[in-house]
Amino acid sequence: MNLEEQYDRIYKYLFFHLHDRHAAEDLTQEAFLRFLGSRTYQDENRQLQYLYTIARNLCHQYYRDRTITYSLEEADAPEAEGFEQPLLDQLLLRNALQKLSPEEKELVLLRYVNEVPVPVISGLCQMSRFAVYRKLRRILQKVRIEMEAEQDEQ
Amino acid sequence: MELTADRISKQYKNKIAVDRLSFTLTEGVTGLLGSNGAGKTTLMRLLCGILVPTSGSVACGGMDVCTEEYRDILGYLPQEFGYYPEFTGRDFLLYMSAVKGLPRRDALRRTEELIELVGLKPVARKKVRTYSGGMKQRLGIAQALLNDPQVLIMDEPTAGLDPQERIRFRELIAGLGKNRIVLLSTHIVSDLEHIADQLMIMKEGRLVWQGKWHAGKEDLEAFYISKIQDER
Amino acid sequence: MNSEMMRTQIRALCQAPRPEGKEAFFRKVKAQGLLHRRPRTISQWEFAAGQFLYIEKWVWALSVLLLLLITAACRRSPGNEPFALTPFLAAGILAQTGRSFRWKMAEMEHAARFSLRSVLLARLFWVGVVNTAGLMLVVLLVRPCFSYSLIRVFLYMMVPYLTAAWLGSVYERKQRADHGWGSVLICLLSSAAFAAAPAFLAGLYEERLTVLWAALFITMAGGLPGSIRNWIARMEEPVWN
């Protein structure tokens, strides 16, 4: 496993959950220290799943400690930073993504943004691989319908 | 690392064994005192993820206690334990190493180290059923330490040990407690006198007292009895 | 927009700023030697393979003995009676389920990384695989002695065996603390039931009822994993007291 590459991914994952560069980076480092300090799995996917589990737990804890109710609602909203003037298509896409449920956003973030392998997502979210595939297919479909509807409105 | 219990309860059909306990364990040795039937064993099982609480939650460093990752850093000595009848002391430790996920080479190395540490070297290749009570208990202690746990939970670890073994055990625990969370339960007060940094006193499923314990300031026995009686 | 394009678009859309402390962090971690010091753990498969050695010898002895007995019985009198012997094969499997509890190892195994459920699943897997493979071999061996087709011999052998395993797993789920005697009883009863069945259902072993046997086989073979899964799920909350 390329740790430096995973660092970027975990950071990205946390950034979209926390919307705070510093907090995201702090938690990324914390997650890596914990990961490095623990016994590893031989299986790469299991390692990755463990890394994401730690990151997600830290994220929960972060919200709990600040007594903010944790909500994935906030996740996956690409805000101003690093986001260039969008094309119409991208704007539509962005609006459509915002309308997804928290669980759906998490799946999009894991699978499409971070390119986490499906078996890892299945372990992390505790559903079968089949269910992950099915949900992802449905999400894309939903997004597409939403985008078309919006386009018609305009 | 911290082990945090958040309002945990365990209810059996007609009895509340653990009644809404909240506490945080930090690095160092914590002693859990209480008479038989006070709920110590139930509490320890809850902290090990063996029992699921009726309500509330236990987590350690962000990991729930029912996860594989938590079990990886956990060492547990149950109050009562057995062994498969064909096992020698060494087999027993190698078997537990496998269940704890240690690769063969580490398992062999740790097994030898721990056999030495608990002083079972001369009988390591003898069947466990030929062991005395104290030897078996030392084997249980060794088993808990195989995976170099960050969280060590021991239920009545001194049961069956003779006075000399008790002293050795105390030295061992004092060393281990420096950079780990160690929780020991006992109903023998003197076992904790010089090694516990923290104390929890349990009675009828509730914590009647918890806090820092400074050895030598007060007589623990008298203190314990006063706390237990206060509650009446 | 097709799915592929959409995925690319989503990725392009969700850009995070560059992590600033990355280089410093990895330099620090490397300097502390944390990168390559991680102890390894064995994989699920290595663990399962290791458990093979911890299955009691008598379980294997029982399996071999029973398989030989069934073969011999089929050769000597290729009637329907030998089929009633297969439920006893399930006894070896069912004995695995209570073993940790019987020897008071369950609590320690439960608190270890691979946990009690992995221990049990690995053992069930091994005994189940070996027994089933053995039985298949016997079916192939004794098939020439019978006038039945291969598929019918297979069904007549497997159904009683699976019935006992399935009933036993249901029973074990409900009653964990009885040291496995209940399971032995279930094997006995299943065996007796299959031995006595032809007396009540005259045409049971006739060709026209093969469909019934196949249906039974599918039900049992399909129900068994579910039953074991339920049973393992309840492992999380064992009845300790």
Side-chain angles (χ1 to χ4, degrees):
Chain A
M1 192 161 69
N2 184 340
L3 288 174
E4 304 211 8
E5 190 188 318
Q6 289 306 331
Y7 184 95
D8 289 340
R9 301 244 167 115
I10 292 291
Y11 170 74
K12 201 187 242 183
Y13 174 81
L14 287 167
F15 176 77
F16 283 122
H17 275 292
L18 304 170
H19 306 287
D20 179 337
R21 303 171 63 149
H22 298 295
E25 185 124 28
D26 281 352
L27 292 198
T28 306
Q29 300 196 350
E30 170 82 36
F32 268 83
L33 285 178
R34 271 196 204 172
F35 177 74
L36 292 173
S38 65
R39 210 179 299 276
T40 60
Y41 299 87
Q42 272 178 1
D43 183 34
E44 285 238 338
N45 279 348
R46 287 300 298 271
Q47 290 193 32
L48 201 56
Q49 187 187 322
Y50 182 37
L51 190 53
Y52 274 94
T53 308
I54 304 175
R56 195 162 61 173
N57 282 333
L58 287 170
C59 200
H60 279 280
Q61 212 172 7
Y62 180 86
Y63 275 95
R64 214 179 16 238
D65 289 350
R66 277 153 197 76
T67 59
I68 308 167
T69 25
Y70 178 72
S71 107
L72 274 166
E73 207 68 55
E74 300 295 317
D76 195 31
E79 291 307 336
E81 277 180 295
F83 185 66
E84 276 140 47
Q85 198 56 25
L87 302 167
L88 178 63
D89 245 12
Q90 288 193 323
L91 203 65
L92 290 177
L93 180 62
R94 191 177 139 184
N95 288 341
L97 287 176
Q98 302 285 30
K99 288 194 177 147
L100 295 175
S101 73
E103 191 203 26
E104 289 168 336
K105 282 181 185 169
E106 176 84 357
L107 283 173
V108 168
L109 180 56
L110 287 171
R111 183 70 192 122
Y112 296 136
V113 181
N114 267 8
E115 297 174 90
V116 179
V118 169
V120 177
I121 300 182
S122 123
L124 192 65
C125 302
Q126 310 213 311
M127 49 175 130
S128 69
R129 289 176 201 201
F130 180 70
V132 175
Y133 279 119
R134 198 182 49 215
K135 284 202 168 143
L136 285 169
R137 226 177 14 246
R138 280 220 192 114
I139 291 171
L140 284 187
Q141 214 167 7
K142 201 166 154 184
V143 170
R144 189 178 299 125
I145 289 167
E146 189 61 44
M147 281 172 77
E148 276 161 13
E150 264 188 76
Q151 201 152 29
D152 289 345
E153 265 173 44
Q154 287 178 1
Chain B
M1 190 109 59
E2 284 181 345
L3 180 66
T4 310
D6 185 18
R7 281 162 293 167
I8 47 166
S9 297
K10 182 70 197 178
Q11 189 166 7
Y12 293 108
K13 263 171 215 142
N14 43 18
K15 185 180 160 225
I16 298 178
V18 169
D19 192 7
R20 280 162 302 163
L21 298 191
S22 294
F23 55 85
T24 298
L25 298 180
T26 48
E27 281 170 10
V29 181
T30 306
L32 176 61
L33 275 169
S35 52
N36 287 326
K40 298 190 304 275
T41 296
T42 306
L43 177 62
M44 294 201 136
R45 284 172 176 163
L46 288 168
L47 297 182
C48 291
I50 292 175
L51 281 177
V52 181
T54 316
S55 64
S57 64
V58 195
C60 180
M63 297 176 280
D64 194 273
V65 291
C66 65
T67 58
E68 188 176 333
E69 287 76 27
Y70 171 71
R71 290 197 301 270
D72 192 45
I73 58 159
L74 170 73
Y76 174 51
L77 174 69
Q79 184 173 20
E80 235 190 300
F81 65 93
Y83 45 88
Y84 294 128
E86 68 278 11
F87 275 0
T88 65
R90 193 167 169 275
D91 291 340
F92 178 88
L93 291 180
L94 286 174
Y95 173 77
M96 284 312 293
S97 305
V99 185
K100 286 175 180 238
L102 267 61
R104 186 78 186 160
R105 207 183 332 146
D106 293 4
L108 286 167
R109 184 177 51 82
R110 282 300 283 169
T111 297
E112 295 310 324
E113 281 173 17
L114 285 164
I115 283 173
E116 191 91 41
L117 184 72
V118 299
L120 287 175
K121 188 121 198 195
V123 291
R125 283 171 198 273
K126 296 225 164 72
K127 294 261 194 259
V128 183
R129 64 163 179 270
T130 64
Y131 284 20
S132 68
M135 281 149 95
K136 197 186 133 213
Q137 192 67 12
R138 282 185 274 154
L139 189 65
I141 294 165
Q143 162 278 134
L145 297 172
L146 278 168
N147 54 333
D148 195 11
Q150 293 302 299
V151 179
L152 184 58
I153 296 179
M154 296 181 148
D155 201 353
E156 302 273 356
T158 51
L161 297 184
D162 64 36
Q164 214 177 346
E165 288 172 326
R166 262 164 217 253
I167 293 169
R168 276 195 66 169
F169 174 76
R170 250 178 274 172
E171 284 166 2
L172 177 69
I173 289 301
L176 289 169
K178 285 199 184 94
N179 49 3
R180 280 160 239 259
I181 300 171
V182 179
L183 179 67
L184 307 176
S185 83
T186 183
H187 61 274
I188 303 162
V189 182
S190 61
D191 279 343
L192 293 172
E193 189 95 54
H194 298 287
I195 51 170
D197 310 310
Q198 299 265 344
L199 271 189
M200 299 203 290
I201 300 177
M202 229 182 143
K203 190 186 168 188
E204 287 158 11
R206 286 171 301 117
L207 282 179
V208 293
W209 192 82
Q210 70 184 111
K212 280 228 169 313
W213 175 253
H214 303 284
K217 213 178 80 185
E218 211 176 334
D219 182 46
L220 182 55
E221 183 100 45
F223 179 75
Y224 169 58
I225 289 169
S226 76
K227 284 298 162 194
I228 288 280
Q229 281 171 346
D230 275 356
E231 276 297 303
R232 252 186 220 145
Chain C
M1 210 192 307
N2 67 26
S3 301
E4 190 49 50
M5 252 174 77
M6 211 139 85
R7 276 183 286 220
T8 331
Q9 289 255 358
I10 291 174
R11 203 168 308 138
L13 191 65
C14 299
Q15 292 293 335
R18 255 179 59 78
E20 283 158 357
K22 181 175 156 187
E23 280 79 21
F25 176 73
F26 275 99
R27 234 178 294 130
K28 195 179 83 191
V29 165
K30 256 185 210 133
Q32 290 175 347
L34 281 173
L35 268 193
H36 302 289
R37 224 190 44 198
R38 287 178 292 163
R40 285 199 159 276
T41 186
I42 52 178
S43 71
Q44 213 105 38
W45 289 111
E46 283 172 272
F47 168 74
Q51 285 295 308
F52 182 81
L53 301 171
Y54 288 111
I55 291 165
E56 304 115 302
K57 306 276 181 300
W58 71 261
V59 173
W60 300 132
L62 177 74
S63 296
V64 171
L65 199 73
L66 275 170
L67 291 172
L68 287 177
L69 196 66
I70 293 169
T71 316
C74 288
R75 294 239 159 151
R76 183 171 288 227
S77 58
N80 300 324
E81 295 78 21
F83 299 136
L85 282 172
T86 61
F88 290 106
L89 269 180
I93 300 185
L94 294 171
Q96 298 309 309
T97 63
R99 190 170 165 221
S100 294
F101 293 92
R102 201 152 55 240
W103 299 106
K104 292 190 180 155
M105 287 289 281
E107 238 183 305
M108 269 183 297
E109 286 167 347
H110 210 307
R113 169 167 206 146
F114 276 103
S115 197
L116 187 55
R117 70 152 73 195
S118 309
V119 172
L120 288 168
L121 279 177
R123 289 190 199 142
L124 287 176
F125 170 81
W126 280 119
V127 184
V129 161
V130 170
N131 277 354
T132 311
L135 201 55
M136 302 277 203
L137 195 70
V138 171
V139 169
L140 288 178
L141 277 175
V142 302
R143 146 83 190 92
C145 313
F146 288 95
S147 56
Y148 307 139
S149 64
L150 180 65
I151 187 85
R152 281 171 70 197
V153 177
F154 171 78
L155 288 174
Y156 297 155
M157 288 279 195
M158 287 304 278
V159 169
Y161 165 59
L162 287 176
T163 306
W166 183 69
L167 286 175
S169 74
V170 171
Y171 176 80
E172 286 281 333
R173 197 167 80 217
K174 306 241 148 80
Q175 294 287 332
R176 187 115 23 84
D178 74 343
H179 291 223
W181 291 114
S183 300
V184 173
L185 194 67
I186 280 175
C187 293
L188 266 171
L189 288 176
S190 314
S191 170
F194 277 94
F200 300 100
L201 289 161
L204 192 62
Y205 287 96
E206 279 171 24
E207 190 164 8
R208 63 194 169 83
L209 280 181
T210 306
V211 184
L212 176 76
W213 283 89
L216 274 173
F217 172 74
I218 290 167
T219 317
M220 296 299 169
L224 197 55
S227 174
I228 290 176
R229 200 164 49 231
N230 277 341
W231 173 71
I232 293 284
R234 282 210 28 196
M235 200 94 279
E236 298 295 290
E237 182 76 0
V239 196
W240 295 104
N241 295 326

